[in-house]
Amino acid sequence: MMATLTRPQLPSTDKRWMIVQGTMRKHGYSRNALIETLHTVQQSFGFLDKDAIRFVAASLQIPPSQAYGVATFYHLFQLRPPGRHTCQICLGTACYINGAERLMGHAEKQLGIQAGETTPDGEVSLLAVRCVGSCSFAPVSIFDEQIHSYSKVEALDAQLKAWTQP
Amino acid sequence: MTTLTEELDQITAKVQQEQQAAGDRINVCVAAGCLSLHSDAVQRALEEEAKKTGARCAVRGVGCMGLCSAGPVVSHESAASNSDEQAARLYGGVQSEHAPQLIASLQGEPVTKLAISRQLPFFTRQTKVVLENSGRINPESIDEYIATGGYRALMHALNEMTPAEVVQEISASGLRGRGGAGYPTGLKWATVARVAGAPKYVICNADEGDPGAFMDRSVLEGDPHRVLEGMILAAYAVGASQGYIYLRAEYPLAVKRLGIAIREAKRMGLLGNDIGGTRMSLNLEIRLGAGAFVCGEETALIASIEGHRGTPHPRPPYPAESGLWGSPTLINNVETYANVPPILQRGSAWYAALGTAKSKGTKVFALSGKVRHTGLIEVPMGMTLREIIFDIGGGVAEGHTFKAVQTGGPSGGCIPESLLDIPVDYDSLTQAGSIMGSGGMIVMDDSSCMVNVARFFMEFCMSESCGKCIPCRAGTAQMYGLLTRITEGTATHRELDLLIRLCEMVGATSLCGLGQTAPNPVLSTLRYFKHEYLAHIEDKHCPAGVCDCAASIAEVAR
Ligand SMILES: Cc1cc2nc3c(=O)[nH]c(=O)nc-3n(C[C@H](O)[C@H](O)[C@H](O)COP(=O)(O)O)c2cc1C
Ligand code: FES
């Protein structure tokens, strides 16, 4: 008798799991859809938690350890929930040469966190990125989705204040 | 029944007619760079103004026009001066409020306060092959690409040439890979074509991980069909039926435009089954990267497409023999593919006449850092660095002096003033201790400390090392530590000797190109700027005033 595949149940009734399932279905539940699926999870939920990784691994019949290995290998995958806002500062070569380190130093001081962390109140995540391809406009920072060219400490400061002060 | 070739001609005629009817063309750069300066609002303002005044013109969003430092950039091609780029008026720093003036100027004199001279060496010294359409066509319209002669090379090859003849033409052109190593493209295609086995795959490496490079991004955002056409031609030449474009997720606009391009090409029957009524089939899919520099390395990239951690494998076997899922796989860079349609359209002899004896054609560079005109340029191979930086780039800002130019990213090196007259080709740059790389060119002036720059790249390699082999994983961390101590002014000659020994060891014993080339930024700065290292070590002083040696020493003492 052929073993019939039982796919794991959705972790919750949250509709976003349907989107995640959609990606896997599109790829015929192939194992090599792992990274594509994790992208969908992150787009839908903002980050990858253990439940999500377990669910995806079980659906694609991949050992959880392997799925976790992939999730932690790639810088873009976040394993913790992001803050309400994200401040990304480019530390690529062109931005670095144009003083991006100073911007990062200022943001870290202002927010009281290191790059890669989120403020304790969950308001702002601070991220270092390595070149977003706008090197002509260095230094570049991205506030939420909006790219800012020729970033200055003052503008950064104003944006952080706008986010953190009620 | 009309053939696909006839259909392409009909579309071309239709687009030309429409453009004639629409009158002048106003092109607004909506590539990511100018977009960040709100060129989308400029486009809307121009559209509204044109509608309001009933001016006879078409306002269009286009890809990068090159001179990013003057952004947002707008060009005006009059209906009369059909397709003569030099005759187009170019404007920089355009804001929404300039729309009325610009629209009013269509029939009269240019708006002088915004005008950029076409006579600047920035424009006159360039030769555009890969970028010939960028900034001139709407990248989201396949019809406009077709109207420039697009997909004709493909139809010609499918109908008139054997796959072997296509390979032969690429070999004869002398094209070399634009992804960094400069491997002869024709040779690679011939290998994949020769290896038995099905299916075969074609992959486009659009990972562009070098921080400070945006050539591939601009090509994909400005003229995506050119890359698709190159890939389809490659698939025909090597006999592949499935292809992937591995694109970094940090380029959302490129993802979007490429997605549109693939859909439109499918709709036209240029992708999918029985392309153009022949028996050739090709299915193309985009795979998103997830922020790992090492995935630009071809074997790591393949592992990533397979859904694994992006760790490289030792070569041989090369992907040409055993690549994606163990099948013969052709992998080329974005710009390499973008060179293919013009080579087949105009002939290998035309292409081989551009450039130098061993480096043919043109190269796109992303010029950034401490240079006056930043942006995207394309020059014939063999132009000197000085011409690129000082003529095209306009040199460094007033009050500063040129110190070095960095090429090749974390695998490359820093080239000093004394070597600026070397020609830009694969071999000369390697001899100078750097590499051509993918085309990032970052200019540094006296405000940069070269030890600090070496440390910056080592930090990059350390955090991007995949960890699979020890020399790279541990070696980059040790070298980073040593460089940090030098910048802090707490190192002695012993540390410097150790650093040099580690450079040799890591370079010789690492598994993949990442580790093998990680020492390059250190070695090249040591070769040309050793006095800066010595100043930090002996005098506890940073000549550029970047590193705060005294503070660090005080910190350590405490
Ligand atoms: C660490 C590392 C990173 C690389 N990154 C890229 C990249 O971002 N883009 C690229 O086209 N090639 C990159 N390469 C080169 C590729 O391995 C490969 O040589 C290239 O894609 C082949 O295409 P080409 O022959 O058209 O140049 C990288 C190599 C190494 C070792
Ligand atoms: S280095 Fe910052 S955008 Fe490229």
Side-chain angles (χ1 to χ4, degrees):
Chain A
M1 201 184 84
M2 282 256 295
T4 44
L5 273 179
T6 49
R7 305 225 184 273
Q9 283 206 321
L10 301 188
S12 73
T13 54
D14 193 325
K15 287 242 169 51
R16 287 175 290 184
W17 292 114
M18 306 289 280
I19 306 174
V20 174
Q21 220 173 20
T23 299
M24 294 192 283
R25 197 173 313 118
K26 199 178 106 203
H27 290 276
Y29 285 93
S30 152
R31 288 181 179 195
N32 50 58
L34 176 60
I35 295 176
E36 293 287 302
T37 311
L38 294 180
H39 270 302
T40 308
V41 174
Q42 179 146 319
Q43 269 158 22
S44 310
F45 292 89
F47 73 111
L48 313 173
D49 66 5
K50 289 219 172 83
D51 287 343
I53 295 174
R54 254 194 225 112
F55 168 65
V56 172
S59 303
L60 300 178
Q61 297 191 284
I62 293 172
S65 58
Q66 205 175 314
Y68 186 73
V70 167
T72 50
F73 181 85
Y74 293 95
H75 296 302
L76 227 62
F77 292 137
Q78 301 290 324
L79 282 86
R80 268 164 298 174
R84 204 187 313 271
H85 299 286
T86 20
C87 171
Q88 305 182 46
I89 296 176
C90 177
L91 293 183
T93 318
C95 292
Y96 187 82
I97 294 296
N98 280 303
E101 223 186 5
R102 243 194 340 266
L103 290 173
M104 184 55 95
H106 185 81
E108 286 181 338
K109 206 168 94 209
Q110 203 64 21
L111 295 170
I113 54 173
Q114 298 287 303
E117 296 178 347
T118 302
T119 51
D121 59 1
E123 276 304 316
V124 185
S125 293
L126 181 62
L127 292 174
V129 288
R130 306 272 198 181
C131 190
V132 292
S134 297
C135 324
S136 295
F137 305 90
V140 174
S141 46
I142 307 177
F143 303 143
D144 289 332
E145 303 276 278
Q146 187 65 45
I147 297 198
H148 284 259
S149 308
Y150 310 119
S151 288
K152 301 234 161 37
V153 168
E154 296 75 39
L156 173 70
D157 204 49
Q159 182 64 72
L160 294 180
K161 287 215 172 93
W163 280 342
T164 48
Q165 281 166 12
Chain B
M1 210 186 95
T2 48
T3 65
L4 188 49
T5 310
E6 285 163 356
E7 212 179 310
L8 297 182
D9 290 340
Q10 285 163 6
I11 289 172
T12 305
K14 185 193 80 181
V15 170
Q16 279 166 355
Q17 246 170 29
E18 279 170 7
Q19 288 186 344
Q20 282 300 327
D24 291 12
R25 287 185 294 285
I26 300 181
N27 304 321
V28 184
C29 172
V30 287
C34 283
L35 212 48
S36 76
L37 299 170
H38 313 294
S39 60
D40 49 346
V42 175
Q43 186 185 352
R44 275 197 304 277
L46 284 164
E47 279 164 357
E48 274 162 29
E49 183 66 21
K51 201 150 127 215
K52 203 167 78 192
T53 58
R56 231 182 117 250
C57 66
V59 177
R60 306 160 344 131
V62 298
C64 183
M65 292 187 239
L67 190 52
C68 300
S69 50
V73 179
V74 171
S75 80
H76 165 207
E77 297 179 86
S78 81
S81 74
N82 211 352
S83 75
D84 178 7
E85 192 181 9
Q86 284 303 321
R89 292 172 181 173
L90 200 63
Y91 297 108
V94 181
Q95 303 298 325
S96 302
E97 70 253 28
H98 298 132
Q101 280 166 285
L102 278 174
I103 297 292
S105 79
L106 293 185
Q107 301 304 326
E109 291 301 306
V111 183
T112 22
K113 71 169 189 220
L114 301 174
I116 304 171
S117 165
R118 283 272 181 197
Q119 298 316 313
L120 283 179
F122 184 89
F123 300 105
T124 58
R125 301 300 300 276
Q126 295 196 48
T127 304
K128 293 196 174 175
V129 175
V130 169
L131 298 178
E132 62 188 347
N133 291 337
S134 184
R136 309 192 63 210
I137 62 169
N138 174 356
E140 299 188 6
S141 156
I142 191 171
D143 288 1
E144 291 201 17
Y145 178 68
I146 290 169
T148 65
Y151 289 112
R152 294 315 193 293
L154 175 66
M155 295 319 297
H156 175 73
L158 288 180
N159 293 322
E160 321 275 340
M161 295 168 85
T162 63
E165 284 168 345
V166 175
V167 174
Q168 174 51 34
E169 197 62 8
I170 296 300
S171 298
S173 74
L175 176 65
R176 292 170 69 174
R178 301 294 194 242
Y183 190 80
T185 306
L187 207 55
K188 201 187 259 186
W189 288 24
T191 312
V192 182
R194 199 174 51 237
V195 177
K200 289 182 185 175
Y201 296 99
V202 282
I203 296 177
C204 175
N205 189 341
D207 197 42
E208 193 155 67
D210 169 3
F214 50 93
M215 306 75 49
D216 296 349
R217 165 200 197 137
S218 301
V219 174
L220 291 170
E221 286 178 359
D223 196 7
H225 283 286
R226 166 182 298 268
V227 181
L228 295 188
E229 188 178 359
M231 279 188 85
I232 306 170
L233 281 160
Y236 177 66
V238 303
S241 54
Q242 172 72 36
Y244 293 96
I245 300 166
Y246 190 87
L247 183 55
R248 62 195 300 242
E250 288 91 333
Y251 289 174
L253 192 60
V255 177
K256 174 177 160 232
R257 298 224 167 119
L258 202 56
I260 294 174
I262 291 176
R263 266 201 308 283
E264 293 215 303
K266 260 192 209 148
R267 182 175 55 76
M268 289 279 310
L270 291 159
L271 275 177
N273 292 332
D274 303 331
I275 295 174
T278 68
R279 281 164 55 201
M280 145 116 196
S281 298
L282 178 68
N283 184 29
L284 275 189
E285 285 176 46
I286 298 176
R287 281 287 177 276
L288 289 187
F293 172 66
V294 71
C295 285
E297 198 278 338
E298 52 191 27
T299 61
L301 186 153
I302 287 170
S304 183
I305 293 183
E306 291 174 350
H308 304 298
R309 293 161 70 98
T311 51
H313 298 287
R315 300 172 307 175
Y318 285 89
E321 283 157 356
S322 171
L324 195 57
W325 294 298
S327 290
T329 302
L330 175 73
I331 175 162
N332 276 126
N333 164 263
V334 171
E335 194 184 329
T336 313
Y337 285 123
N339 271 297
V340 169
I343 291 174
L344 287 171
Q345 202 157 28
R346 283 170 240 174
S348 54
W350 160 78
Y351 194 80
L354 290 166
T356 69
K358 282 185 169 164
S359 303
K360 303 293 187 192
T362 59
K363 180 77 195 82
V364 181
F365 289 102
L367 199 54
S368 68
K370 301 286 190 185
V371 60
R372 228 171 275 190
H373 304 316
T374 57
L376 196 68
I377 60 162
E378 182 172 2
V379 297
M381 295 271 192
M383 185 177 268
T384 67
L385 284 167
R386 192 182 301 280
E387 288 172 290
I388 294 178
I389 295 162
F390 285 89
D391 295 351
I392 294 179
V396 297
E398 200 132 339
H400 286 277
T401 51
F402 173 90
K403 188 183 263 185
V405 56
Q406 212 280 340
T407 67
S411 309
C414 296
I415 299 169
E417 156 86 35
S418 60
L419 290 180
L420 280 185
D421 292 310
I422 62 167
V424 171
D425 61 50
Y426 291 99
D427 312 285
S428 307
L429 287 174
T430 307
Q431 250 170 39
S434 185
I435 58 166
M436 171 84 81
S438 55
M441 202 176 259
I442 296 139
V443 177
M444 302 175 191
D445 65 12
D446 50 359
S447 66
S448 288
C449 163
M450 301 316 281
V451 189
N452 183 49
V453 166
R455 176 174 169 269
F456 164 80
F457 281 113
M458 194 53 75
E459 195 271 333
F460 183 86
C461 291
M462 174 177 75
S463 61
E464 294 297 330
S465 169
C466 78
K468 183 167 174 174
C469 77
I470 295 170
C472 174
R473 180 180 69 220
T476 52
Q478 292 305 323
M479 290 192 284
Y480 173 71
L482 291 168
L483 285 162
T484 302
R485 293 188 56 185
I486 298 176
T487 54
E488 284 175 344
T490 55
T492 64
H493 280 278
R494 228 190 102 245
E495 272 92 356
L496 187 60
D497 292 341
L498 190 58
L499 177 66
I500 295 169
R501 283 219 309 282
L502 267 173
C503 280
E504 285 161 6
M505 200 269 286
V506 172
T509 57
S510 291
L511 169 62
C512 85
L514 196 160
Q516 287 160 12
T517 58
N520 283 357
V522 182
L523 291 173
S524 71
T525 45
L526 266 171
R527 180 160 154 194
Y528 301 119
F529 302 95
K530 188 156 189 186
H531 53 278
E532 294 199 18
Y533 281 82
L534 295 180
H536 287 80
I537 291 169
E538 290 167 1
D539 312 333
K540 314 291 173 206
H541 169 68
C542 174
V546 173
C547 314
D548 195 350
C549 298
S552 307
I553 293 168
E555 179 91 3
V556 171
R558 236 191 297 129

